[in-house]
Amino acid sequence: MRLALAAGRTGSDEGASLELGVGGAGRHGSLKCLHAHAAYALANPGYLLGERILAEIESLWPRDRCCTA
């Protein structure tokens, strides 16, 4: 996805960061930046890890009514 969004641009690191996963985690089996995984899930529904993180946190808004009520 990063490569597609970059549309051929590589930046100052010559594209090295484009190969990294969500949150810039370059090592397999490591987890970095839970907030990045949560944000990715909000932008891309169906991302299981991010959705699991979101399920663990308390909602900032009421689930049973409008947040302005």
Side-chain angles (χ1 to χ4, degrees):
M1 182 179 284
R2 287 177 183 215
L3 290 171
L5 290 171
R9 296 182 303 274
T10 60
S12 61
D13 67 356
E14 302 301 321
S17 63
L18 296 175
E19 300 298 326
L20 302 177
V22 175
R27 295 180 320 199
H28 294 291
S30 66
L31 183 63
K32 182 177 178 183
C33 302
L34 295 180
H35 69 282
H37 289 278
Y40 189 82
L42 291 170
N44 296 283
Y47 177 57
L48 186 57
L49 175 59
E51 288 179 356
R52 286 182 176 178
I53 293 166
L54 290 170
E56 292 288 325
I57 60 175
E58 186 176 329
S59 178
L60 296 175
W61 300 276
R63 296 179 192 264
D64 60 341
R65 59 184 161 69
C66 178
C67 61
T68 60

